[in-house]
């Protein structure tokens, strides 16, 4: 696991370049996919093709083998990396090759084929510009699509000038590119073997799709007489026709391009003449077309992943990098922290757990905060946060047991294994909140003392720079229990879900919610209900989260059966009801709650749209607001409801577009991640302190967002529901 010092160093040395490039890719994705009228349909089609292909994978592998051999090529199914490398070394040795040129291939990185060939004395040359830069620098890739994304133009110029000592120092991007092209061109024409990956391989015809930005894959194939393609078995799809949605989506999702610069469809062995570059007199048509082709399909744990109900979805991945680009933490530290032996970004947890093992996945898994911003970005609809959560749960169960005396009585969870004490503390925050409320205000004073902060830093690694929540003596539930409804002839009836923070810390926003709903003719009840399970789920404590989910649905079911709508103030809890409970509960129980629960402003918006007048709500009179919505809100497509209601009430609203505030619940409290959390938050601070924004009242919907903004700014933020209750 990267230490706080290592993360700080990466933010200092690579963070700016990574942020600029990933955010640029991300903005390009937003623009590009907006032009696709059938974007969501294409995603669903792509997922369906991958689901079918992985389900029928053994038969597709048999079909592909038969097809390639009929075409004149050879297929080798490698059990693992060593097996694949042994075969590739044999092919290169049989060709008596001194040089192998490669186009970019993450699968070749996975098996470390360069090292295997170089041990045999073979010169291996990367022809992708980014990969070649890293080869010269002797560094590992930091991004699935743009391997040198962490390097600036200046640093590349410094590298080339130092290593190659050109006659005239290289400075501009054009000079660097021209120099690289000339150097690589010399290498390519002298090579005997070309090695590529494959984005997709079709079983029906043996056709390979190679998607590149530079055209180097075509040169790698055409300039050599022996072509080796390496691909994971998951790259096989049934037909050429199935390529359509992937071609539409892969470039848009990864780099924001409507289509990648080069989409090459090859059915090897290709019939391009094998050119002798030293012979400038013979016509191209006179050269022979005798070529050798080897397709090396690699298992290396994939077939086991196919049988794993929780990791199986990982195999749908098309390696577009959208999950990396959309991830706020990745934008700050890149793949050298947020990655394993080969793969980086959100989906890397699944890949590394399946291919390398849980110990490798554990090195970076906690950098996924479950914000879910990658969910909508994924072109094959993979639930990446859930994969990360499942892997975290498995890592927990392999961990060392915490000291019993530290755990007893504090962590009444359903875990039978050994999450760390820190994870148990945060995962059982409901218990902490109940204790804090029962003993407030003494608990708040005690927690703020220097001795307590040192103890929490030592035992729980809670950063002393982070302000702790202050518990209310009277909970939201207790307040509601001691009052009568003000609505005599209700238009609607609702149950307001008392999430953990609203019930124990931010009680004022609960009161405001009741006041607003009652002013709009809604009869409201606030029952005592368990916390949603978001806290334990974020720590990978799936069994405990499932217990919470069952307790919540058991408590809310009678109200739903009685015809009440469920109104949720905290977006992360609403997301539990709408998304994660599908994984934790039976289908009927999940559906019943999901179909009857609403985020609070979604609900208010629905009331106003369906004839309930806004007259009872106070007028904003043009007051200027800066609004930051919660990550989960955006994933669920609910941000617009808050803006619409505020504008209807007369407020002038501008919104932030940063992916995440950086707090992410417990993540921002942990010492090893505090500075990363604040670095991510700086992007939000920049927007909220920009011209024409810095004087606006800041409002935010999420608990974590409110805490982070309070730490970032001098002006205190508010939950927007409080404005409507004024």
């Amino acid at each position: 696991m990267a230490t706080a010092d290592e993360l700080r160093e990466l933010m200092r040395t690579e963070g700016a370049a990574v942020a600029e490039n990933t955010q640029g890719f991300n903005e390009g994705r937003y623009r590009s996919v907006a032009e696709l009228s059938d974007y969501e349909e294409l995603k669903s089609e792509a997922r369906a093709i991958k689901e079918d292909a992985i389900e029928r994978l053994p038969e597709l592998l048999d079909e592909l083998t038969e097809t390639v051999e009929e075409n004149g090529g050879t297929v080798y199914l490698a059990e693992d990396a060593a097996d694949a490398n042994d075969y590739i070394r044999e092919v290169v040795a049989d060709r008596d090759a001194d040089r192998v040129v490669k186009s970019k291939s993450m699968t070749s990185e996975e098996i470390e084929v360069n090292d295997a060939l170089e041990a045999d004395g073979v010169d291996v040359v990367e022809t992708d510009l980014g990969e070649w830069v890293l080869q010269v620098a002797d560094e590992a890739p930091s991004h699935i699509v743009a391997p040198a994304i962490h390097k600036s133009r200046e640093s590349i110029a410094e590298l080339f000038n130092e290593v190659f000592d050109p006659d005239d120092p290289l400075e501009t991007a054009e000079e660097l590119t021209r120099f690289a092209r000339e150097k690589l061109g010399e290498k390519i024409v002298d090579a005997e073997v070309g090695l590529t990956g494959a984005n997709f391989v079709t079983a029906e015809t043996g056709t390979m799709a190679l998607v590149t930005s530079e055209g180097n894959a075509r040169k790698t194939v055409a300039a050599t007489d022996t072509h080796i393609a390496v691909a994971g078995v998951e790259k096989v799809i049934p037909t050429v026709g199935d390529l359509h949605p992937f071609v539409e989506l892969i470039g848009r999702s990864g780099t924001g391009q409507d289509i990648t610069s080069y989409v090459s469809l090859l059915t090897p062995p290709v019939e391009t003449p094998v050119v002798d570059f030293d012979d400038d007199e013979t016509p191209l048509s006179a050269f022979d077309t005798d070529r050798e082709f080897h397709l090396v399909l690699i298992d290396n744990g994939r077939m086991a992943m196919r049988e794993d109900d929780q990791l199986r979805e990982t195999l749908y991945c098309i390696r577009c990098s959208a999950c990396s680009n959309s991830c706020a933490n990745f934008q700050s530290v890149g793949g050298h922290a947020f990655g394993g032996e080969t793969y980086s970004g959100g989906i890397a947890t699944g890949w590394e757990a399946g291919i390398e093992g849980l110990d490798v996945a554990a090195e970076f898994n906690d950098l996924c905060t479950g914000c879910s911003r990658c969910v909508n970005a994924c072109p094959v609809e993979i639930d990446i946060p859930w994969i990360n959560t499942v892997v975290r749960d498995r890592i927990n169960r392999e961990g060392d047991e915490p000291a019993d005396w530290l755990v007893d009585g504090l962590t009444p969870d359903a875990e039978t294994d050994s999450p760390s004490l820190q994870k148990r503390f945060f995962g059982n925050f409901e218990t902490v909140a109940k204790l804090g409320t029962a003993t407030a205000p003494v608990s708040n004073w005690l927690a703020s003392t220097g001795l307590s902060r040192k103890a929490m830093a030592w035992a729980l690694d809670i950063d002393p720079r982070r302000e702790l929540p202050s518990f209310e003596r009277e909970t939201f539930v207790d307040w509601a229990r001691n009052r009568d409804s003000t609505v005599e002839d209700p238009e609607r009836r609702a149950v307001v879900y008392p999430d953990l923070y609203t019930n124990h810390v931010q009680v004022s926003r609960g009161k405001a919610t009741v006041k607003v709903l009652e002013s709009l003719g809604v009869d409201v009840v606030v029952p005592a209900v368990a916390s949603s399970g978001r806290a334990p789920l974020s720590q990978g404590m799936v069994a405990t989260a499932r217990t919470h989910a069952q307790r919540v649905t058991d408590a809310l079911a009678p109200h739903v059966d009685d015809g009440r709508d469920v109104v949720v103030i905290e977006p992360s809890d609403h997301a539990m009801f709408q998304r994660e409970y599908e994984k934790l509960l039976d289908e009927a129980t999940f559906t019943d709650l999901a179909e009857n629960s609403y985020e609070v402003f979604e609900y208010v918006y629905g009331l106003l749209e369906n004839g309930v007048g806004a007259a009872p709500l106070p007028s904003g009179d043009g007051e200027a607001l800066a609004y930051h919505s919660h990550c989960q809100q955006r994933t669920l497509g609910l941000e617009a409801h808050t803006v619409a209601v505020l504008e209807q009430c007369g407020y002038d609203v501008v919104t932030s577009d940063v992916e995440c505030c950086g707090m992410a619940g417990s993540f921002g409290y942990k010492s090893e991640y505090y500075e990363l959390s604040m670095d991510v938050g700086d992007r939000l601070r920049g927007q909220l302190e920009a011209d024409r924004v810095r004087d606006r009242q800041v409002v935010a919907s999420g608990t974590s967002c409110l805490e982070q903004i309070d730490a970032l700014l001098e002006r205190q933020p508010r939950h927007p529901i409080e404005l409507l209750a004024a």
Side-chain angles (χ1 to χ4, degrees):
M1 182 181 296
T3 65
D5 287 342
E6 289 168 336
L7 292 174
R8 187 185 306 115
E9 180 65 10
L10 284 171
M11 287 186 282
R12 184 186 70 81
T13 58
E14 300 181 3
V18 172
E20 180 181 0
N21 286 297
T22 52
Q23 290 169 23
F25 289 158
N26 212 37
E27 290 165 7
R29 176 175 59 84
Y30 280 128
R31 287 193 302 270
S32 184
V33 301
E35 298 170 0
L36 282 177
S37 59
D38 57 348
Y39 175 53
E40 295 299 332
E41 290 79 3
L42 282 169
K43 288 165 63 177
S44 296
E45 182 184 355
R47 180 182 175 89
I49 292 169
K50 290 295 288 185
E51 282 183 339
D52 172 63
I54 298 303
E55 178 67 29
R56 297 195 293 123
L57 188 54
E59 67 181 81
L60 290 179
L61 291 174
D62 289 341
E63 181 182 358
L64 176 61
T65 299
E66 183 178 342
T67 302
V68 170
E69 289 175 350
E70 287 177 353
N71 292 342
T74 302
V75 175
Y76 185 75
L77 183 59
E79 182 178 346
D80 54 25
D83 189 17
N85 286 334
D86 286 346
Y87 181 82
I88 294 168
R89 291 168 61 199
E90 280 185 29
V91 172
V92 173
D94 288 347
R95 177 59 183 81
D96 196 23
D98 295 318
R99 176 175 294 149
V100 172
V101 287
K102 293 178 61 212
S103 65
K104 192 177 83 65
S105 163
M106 290 306 298
T107 310
S108 72
E109 293 279 353
E110 175 189 323
I111 64 175
E112 299 180 332
V113 67
N114 289 25
D115 292 343
L117 290 172
E118 287 168 355
D120 291 342
V122 178
D123 181 27
V124 182
V125 179
E126 299 284 355
T127 64
D128 172 85
L129 178 57
E131 287 283 6
W132 187 60
V133 167
L134 297 185
Q135 188 175 32
V136 172
D138 193 24
E139 293 181 16
S142 63
H143 190 270
I144 290 176
V145 170
I149 198 172
H150 59 287
K151 286 194 167 294
S152 64
R153 174 182 56 79
E154 292 80 8
S155 67
I156 295 172
E158 182 180 351
L159 173 70
F160 281 10
N161 289 329
E162 179 182 340
V163 173
F164 298 108
D165 192 22
D167 294 336
D168 297 313
L170 304 169
E171 294 182 4
T172 68
E174 183 179 357
E175 290 171 346
L176 291 166
T177 305
R178 184 184 299 113
F179 177 83
R181 182 174 59 198
E182 291 173 356
K183 284 285 186 182
L184 291 173
E186 296 169 2
K187 301 285 188 180
I188 291 171
V189 299
D190 289 337
E192 297 90 0
V193 176
L195 194 150
T196 71
N199 294 88
F200 309 96
V201 187
T202 65
E204 181 184 52
T205 61
T207 302
M208 293 170 39
L210 293 172
V211 181
T212 68
S213 296
E214 301 165 22
N216 56 303
R218 295 181 182 179
K219 292 181 180 179
T220 298
V221 173
T224 57
D225 59 20
T226 302
H227 174 200
I228 305 171
V230 295
V233 292
E234 84 284 355
K235 298 294 186 71
V236 180
I237 60 175
T239 70
V240 172
D242 291 326
L243 289 170
H244 168 249
F246 300 110
V247 172
E248 287 279 14
L249 291 169
I250 192 168
R252 297 176 194 271
S253 301
T255 57
Q257 297 168 280
D258 291 348
I259 190 168
T260 311
S261 302
Y262 295 88
V263 178
S264 303
L265 300 185
L266 312 174
T267 305
V270 296
E271 297 181 355
T272 303
V274 180
V275 178
D276 181 351
F277 290 96
D278 293 326
D279 183 350
D280 56 5
E281 296 182 358
T282 304
L284 286 176
S285 58
F287 289 108
D288 68 57
T289 59
D290 185 20
R291 291 176 172 274
E292 193 174 324
F293 173 64
H294 299 264
L295 175 60
V296 182
L297 294 170
I298 298 169
D299 179 353
N300 205 31
R302 287 165 172 81
M303 297 307 282
M305 292 167 68
R306 177 176 173 269
E307 299 302 319
D308 187 320
D309 289 342
Q310 305 298 345
L311 292 186
R312 183 187 182 100
E313 265 196 298
T314 306
L315 299 175
Y316 304 163
C317 171
I318 62 172
R319 312 266 178 87
C320 69
S321 78
C323 58
S324 300
N325 301 334
S326 62
C327 174
N329 283 343
F330 189 96
Q331 290 173 8
S332 282
V333 299
H336 286 156
F338 204 145
E341 294 291 327
T342 304
Y343 300 103
S344 61
I347 195 62
T349 286
W351 281 119
E352 296 292 340
I355 291 169
E356 299 290 346
L358 289 176
D359 56 334
V360 176
E363 292 296 314
F364 63 94
N365 174 256
D366 280 349
L367 285 170
C368 171
T369 63
C371 76
S372 78
R373 296 302 297 136
C374 58
V375 170
N376 292 349
C378 179
V380 282
E381 301 176 336
I382 300 173
D383 192 344
I384 296 170
W386 178 253
I387 292 173
N388 277 274
T389 300
V390 167
V391 171
R392 190 169 302 164
D393 180 69
R394 296 178 183 183
I395 292 167
N396 286 342
R397 288 188 269 118
E398 286 201 343
D400 296 328
E401 290 190 17
D404 290 341
W405 64 272
L406 287 172
V407 176
D408 285 347
L410 175 63
T411 58
D413 51 58
E415 307 305 309
T416 58
D417 295 284
S418 309
S420 68
L421 178 61
Q422 183 194 68
K423 289 185 184 296
R424 285 186 182 268
F425 175 83
F426 284 116
N428 289 282
F429 196 73
E430 180 178 20
T431 301
V432 178
K434 287 178 178 178
L435 180 62
T437 291
T439 58
V442 175
S443 58
N444 298 321
W445 170 82
L446 183 62
S448 66
T449 64
L451 183 61
S452 294
R453 295 311 303 264
K454 287 180 180 178
M456 284 185 278
W458 171 76
L460 302 171
D461 204 24
I462 294 176
D463 198 284
R465 291 167 289 185
R466 183 67 75 178
E467 185 175 343
L468 300 176
S470 181
F471 298 106
E472 296 286 340
R473 180 67 175 178
E474 182 183 51
T475 67
F476 176 40
V477 170
D478 289 339
W479 171 83
R481 184 184 296 122
N482 295 324
R483 66 184 297 277
D484 296 322
S485 174
T486 63
V487 181
E488 295 182 359
D489 187 19
E491 294 283 335
R492 304 275 300 190
R493 298 162 65 243
V495 50
V496 172
Y497 173 68
D499 65 85
L500 194 57
Y501 258 68
T502 300
N503 196 31
H504 293 275
V505 181
Q506 299 290 342
V507 177
S508 61
R509 71 185 183 191
K511 296 177 181 179
T513 298
V514 172
K515 182 176 180 180
V516 169
L517 294 182
E518 288 186 343
S519 73
L520 296 174
V522 180
D523 178 65
V524 177
V525 296
V526 184
V529 186
S531 62
S532 70
R534 171 63 67 187
L537 195 73
S538 71
Q539 308 305 314
M541 297 164 60
V542 175
T544 301
R546 183 171 287 110
T547 298
H548 280 248
Q550 194 61 61
R551 289 166 58 201
V552 168
T553 51
D554 287 347
L556 292 179
H559 297 284
V560 173
D561 293 342
D562 191 37
R564 288 187 182 270
D565 306 310
V566 179
V567 177
V568 189
I569 303 168
E570 171 57 39
S572 62
D573 288 303
H574 182 56
M576 289 289 286
F577 297 173
Q578 296 292 316
R579 283 178 31 82
E580 282 84 2
Y581 275 17
E582 184 175 15
K583 302 288 200 306
L584 301 173
L585 300 167
D586 64 83
E587 183 178 358
T589 304
F590 161 71
T591 301
D592 198 32
L593 180 58
E595 291 181 349
N596 290 283
S597 60
Y598 307 86
E599 189 267 339
V600 60
F601 270 88
E602 177 191 18
Y603 194 70
V604 171
Y605 176 83
L607 292 173
L608 300 181
E609 285 292 295
N610 285 281
V612 176
L617 302 178
S619 172
D621 293 326
E623 181 183 349
L625 302 177
Y627 174 58
H628 176 70
S629 64
H630 191 275
C631 303
Q632 307 278 1
Q633 243 179 327
R634 296 185 197 180
T635 299
L636 294 172
L638 299 176
E639 176 186 24
H641 296 100
T642 303
V643 176
V645 170
L646 292 174
E647 288 181 342
Q648 189 169 341
C649 290
Y651 290 95
D652 174 26
V653 185
V654 298
T655 60
S656 75
D657 60 5
V658 297
E659 291 297 326
C660 180
C661 73
M663 184 66 184
S666 63
F667 183 83
Y669 284 101
K670 299 176 181 179
S671 292
E672 64 264 48
Y673 301 129
Y674 171 80
E675 290 180 48
L676 172 56
S677 169
M678 296 303 287
D679 186 73
V680 172
D682 272 341
R683 298 167 206 152
L684 180 57
R685 187 204 327 247
Q687 290 198 355
L688 296 178
E689 291 185 343
D691 293 341
R692 293 178 292 183
V693 179
R694 67 169 59 97
D695 295 327
R696 291 173 175 260
Q697 166 70 51
V698 179
V699 290
S701 294
T703 296
S704 293
C705 309
L706 289 163
E707 289 185 324
Q708 181 78 316
I709 293 169
D710 193 34
L712 293 170
L713 304 178
E714 293 182 1
R715 58 196 198 276
Q716 190 174 27
R718 301 178 69 188
H719 192 288
I721 198 67
E722 295 179 281
L723 301 180
L724 303 189

